[in-house]
Amino acid sequence: MVHGRSLCHIVTSLIILHVSWATKKIGDKPTIPEGQKSLQCGSWTKYSDGGIFTSPNYPNKYPPDRECIYIIEAAPRQCIELHFDEKYAIESSWECKFDHIEVRDGPFGFSPIIGRYCGQQSPPFIKSSGRFLWIKFFADGELESLGFSAQYNFTPDPDFKDLGVLKPLPVCEFEMGGPEGIIESVQILKEGKASASEAVDCKWYIRAPPRSKIYLRFLDYEMQNSNECKRNFVAVYDGSSSVEDLKAKFCSTVANDVMLRTGLGVIRMWADEGSRTSRFQMLFTSFQEPPCEANSFFCHSNMCINNTLVCNGVQNCVYPWDENHCKEKRKSNLLDQLTNTSGTVIGVSSCIVIILIIISVIVQIKQPRKKFVQRKADFDQTVFQEVFEPPHYELCTLRGSGAAADIADVADDFENYHKLRRSSSKCIHDHHCGSSTKGSRSNLSTREAPLLTDTPNQPAKPNLQPMNRRNILVMKHSYSQDATDTCDIDEIEEVPTTSHRLSRHDKSVQRMACLIIYFAFREEFLQL
């Protein structure tokens, strides 16, 4: 029993020792932090027209497990020529899958690849097509070799040989900061950094608050010479303006949003003389990673932005969470502003308007008005009858019975006329001055009066044509029946009349016309 227990303890101890030895062996494998790798990637000497860089420990063997990236940038309208020294040795492998050198034509690891090299033979002469070369050296954990040394220099770009040497570029830099802001290319002209005909290479430095990062979103973007990165582009750097920190570069027709991992972002715009109409507008937003603070808004995309950016009419989050449900908030904010800031001004203005309205009403009431007398449509003519109303006459027609009428009858008519005239004065006086008992008017009749022919000796013709007949117009007088015995004339036959259909004014006009016609007839008769 004791022997069995001892055996179990021995087996357990051996297992523990084996595990401890394996863990130590694994831990002995060298691991180099990211920051330390960059410091142990060999030497790099830069000049105005070129430079030299080497692998780590060159001309000695390079250490295992290393990855070094070298990005070379030339000036505008220049290219890069790269030469490798003959003292060159890198672990050989099929397709250079292990230790190798990789060269790409551009500033990124996804730029077009020029070649991947390893073995004992140095790479050939390399020339870039543009301003950038991306070079990576990789070494695994086994079989280290001598390494390499490379020299580069800048040469004029043949694509711009007709344009000649580029003129010195103006200094063009901007400083931005805060919770948000707008970066736009029009600032170059607004702030006088360069003229509209000069090539520009401008940089905007964005500095976020402490412990914050930067989110970039393009609002407007257009390159005049699209897909020609040599002539115009917009580049984004994360952490510094060096080419090693180049995050993104846009020179085509579209530009994507960029999320930086540091609090320092650099926006760079390059445009030559023939690309100055290229433009862009970018919104930057400072944010922090969750958990969010009390004065922050969570964007549901691992972003915490300042509360002042919520419902400001601009999308500051990756998705528009900060602009949703803003109608109710805007209404409440408007009421708060009216109560707190503008309430006093609005109240005072309303009181002034009300006072002015009251003063205007009082002035209108106190002001003297013109008096208008309404004219009556009809006056009672009976009141003014004594003064204005003339005697009432009616128009009657006396037709002669024949050409052989007796002159004596005419003389009788005139005698009756004189009687009528004498009686008329009395009738008119009684009509205007006396009282009426009968309250009716008499209708005087007319009697036919013979006409005298133009020659008295000519015998009378029993039937005369209407053209040889004469009409005699006499006046018929209408009056009140105050003195009927004096005013009635029996000799005149009653003739139907339509004078009662006319108004008093029309009757007066007819009576005046009758008087005129009568006196005209009288003169003609006397001449006969």
Side-chain angles (χ1 to χ4, degrees):
M1 188 73 180
V2 175
H3 180 71
R5 289 180 179 177
S6 299
L7 184 61
C8 290
H9 283 295
I10 292 171
V11 173
T12 304
S13 299
L14 290 174
I15 293 173
I16 293 172
L17 289 173
H18 177 74
V19 172
S20 300
W21 176 82
T23 306
K24 184 177 180 182
K25 187 175 181 180
I26 295 172
D28 289 342
K29 186 176 180 179
T31 57
I32 302 174
E34 188 68 26
Q36 191 174 356
K37 282 184 180 181
S38 62
L39 298 176
Q40 298 181 3
C41 284
S43 62
W44 190 349
T45 306
K46 297 181 180 181
Y47 305 102
S48 60
D49 58 347
I52 298 174
F53 62 96
T54 64
S55 60
N57 294 334
Y58 183 85
N60 300 321
K61 289 185 179 180
Y62 54 82
D65 296 316
R66 293 296 171 93
E67 181 177 323
C68 301
I69 296 176
Y70 311 89
I71 302 175
I72 305 172
E73 180 182 7
R77 296 182 184 176
Q78 289 185 343
C79 293
I80 304 170
E81 294 180 348
L82 181 63
H83 304 268
F84 285 90
D85 195 273
E86 293 180 356
K87 293 181 180 181
Y88 172 87
I90 295 177
E91 178 189 359
S92 298
S93 62
W94 182 72
E95 293 183 352
C96 298
K97 289 185 177 180
F98 301 117
D99 297 358
H100 64 267
I101 295 175
E102 182 177 312
V103 181
R104 292 181 177 269
D105 189 11
F108 303 107
F110 53 83
S111 298
I113 187 170
I114 296 177
R116 179 178 285 190
Y117 311 99
C118 62
Q120 304 300 317
Q121 186 179 0
S122 62
F125 169 77
I126 297 173
K127 184 176 182 179
S128 68
S129 63
R131 297 174 55 184
F132 299 93
L133 273 179
W134 185 85
I135 304 163
K136 181 181 75 171
F137 169 70
F138 174 78
D140 60 8
E142 298 177 355
L143 300 176
E144 295 81 13
S145 295
L146 178 65
F148 69 92
S149 174
Q151 180 181 358
Y152 64 92
N153 60 288
F154 305 125
T155 60
D157 191 335
D159 293 339
F160 297 95
K161 61 181 181 180
D162 296 336
L163 299 177
V165 180
L166 183 67
K167 296 180 181 179
L169 298 176
V171 178
C172 183
E173 293 183 355
F174 303 89
E175 292 286 341
M176 309 289 291
E180 72 164 354
I182 298 293
I183 300 171
E184 51 189 351
S185 56
V186 295
Q187 292 177 265
I188 301 173
L189 291 177
K190 286 182 178 179
E191 300 189 17
K193 299 293 184 178
S195 64
S197 60
E198 289 182 300
V200 293
D201 190 5
C202 296
K203 296 178 181 179
W204 287 262
Y205 293 89
I206 308 170
R207 305 185 188 278
R211 304 185 308 276
S212 298
K213 300 177 181 180
I214 300 173
Y215 167 62
L216 301 172
R217 185 164 67 90
F218 280 90
L219 304 178
D220 184 25
Y221 169 82
E222 182 179 357
M223 294 290 104
Q224 181 177 353
N225 295 290
S226 180
N227 297 319
E228 295 187 33
C229 296
K230 295 181 180 180
R231 305 196 62 182
N232 48 195
F233 66 81
V234 175
V236 179
Y237 298 81
D238 189 2
S240 70
S241 60
S242 63
V243 66
E244 291 81 12
D245 293 323
L246 183 61
K247 183 78 172 180
K249 183 180 177 182
F250 307 101
C251 58
S252 60
T253 57
V254 294
N256 301 323
D257 299 351
V258 181
M259 189 79 70
L260 304 183
R261 307 313 301 173
T262 66
L264 175 61
V266 181
I267 311 301
R268 182 181 182 182
M269 178 182 178
W270 158 252
D272 62 10
E273 302 93 329
S275 306
R276 283 306 308 276
T277 58
S278 299
R279 70 179 189 273
F280 79 95
Q281 187 181 48
M282 183 184 294
L283 171 70
F284 74 86
T285 303
S286 301
F287 72 95
Q288 294 180 352
E289 293 182 347
C292 299
E293 297 179 357
N295 61 342
S296 299
F297 175 80
F298 181 54
C299 286
H300 301 277
S301 55
N302 292 328
M303 289 179 61
C304 300
I305 63 174
N306 197 296
N307 272 333
T308 59
L309 306 180
V310 179
C311 294
N312 62 346
V314 179
Q315 177 185 334
N316 294 98
C317 298
V318 177
Y319 301 101
W321 301 107
D322 55 326
E323 297 301 317
N324 292 339
H325 311 292
C326 289
K327 293 182 179 180
E328 295 80 4
K329 187 172 181 180
R330 289 193 183 101
K331 290 180 181 179
S332 61
N333 290 338
L334 179 61
L335 294 176
D336 294 340
Q337 291 176 2
L338 290 177
T339 304
N340 297 330
T341 60
S342 304
T344 304
V345 176
I346 295 176
V348 172
S349 302
S350 301
C351 292
I352 293 174
V353 171
I354 293 173
I355 291 173
L356 292 177
I357 293 174
I358 294 173
I359 294 174
S360 176
V361 171
I362 294 174
V363 170
Q364 292 293 330
I365 294 174
K366 296 296 184 180
Q367 185 177 3
R369 297 176 175 270
K370 294 181 180 180
K371 295 182 179 180
F372 297 93
V373 178
Q374 184 177 2
R375 296 183 61 185
K376 295 183 178 180
D378 293 323
F379 291 99
D380 189 2
Q381 295 188 5
T382 57
V383 179
F384 303 94
Q385 185 175 4
E386 182 177 356
V387 180
F388 297 102
E389 187 177 25
H392 298 280
Y393 295 95
E394 294 182 359
L395 182 60
C396 301
T397 302
L398 299 177
R399 298 179 181 273
S401 59
D406 191 7
I407 297 177
D409 295 334
V410 177
D412 293 338
D413 290 338
F414 274 97
E415 185 177 357
N416 293 333
Y417 164 71
H418 288 293
K419 291 180 180 180
L420 179 62
R421 186 176 181 183
R422 286 191 299 269
S423 64
S424 295
S425 59
K426 184 177 183 299
C427 291
I428 292 172
H429 177 74
D430 295 336
H431 174 70
H432 290 292
C433 300
S435 61
S436 176
T437 58
K438 298 181 181 181
S440 62
R441 299 177 61 182
S442 64
N443 293 328
L444 301 178
S445 62
T446 59
R447 189 181 61 176
E448 292 183 356
L451 294 175
L452 295 177
T453 58
D454 293 337
T455 46
N457 297 328
Q458 187 177 357
K461 295 181 180 180
N463 295 325
L464 293 177
Q465 297 296 330
M467 60 182 299
N468 294 327
R469 298 176 61 185
R470 289 191 179 183
N471 295 331
I472 300 175
L473 300 178
V474 299
M475 302 305 299
K476 178 182 177 184
H477 178 61
S478 298
Y479 57 92
S480 299
Q481 298 296 325
D482 293 336
T484 309
D485 298 336
T486 309
C487 296
D488 287 339
I489 302 173
D490 296 332
E491 291 81 7
I492 300 177
E493 297 178 355
E494 184 175 357
V495 179
T497 179
T498 59
S499 60
H500 61 279
R501 301 177 185 175
L502 302 175
S503 63
R504 289 190 173 186
H505 177 71
D506 296 336
K507 290 179 179 181
S508 301
V509 173
Q510 285 186 358
R511 290 163 188 159
M512 294 298 295
C514 288
L515 288 173
I516 295 171
I517 294 171
Y518 168 74
F519 285 108
F521 172 76
R522 178 183 177 186
E523 292 178 0
E524 183 180 359
F525 181 78
L526 293 175
Q527 290 178 0
L528 293 176

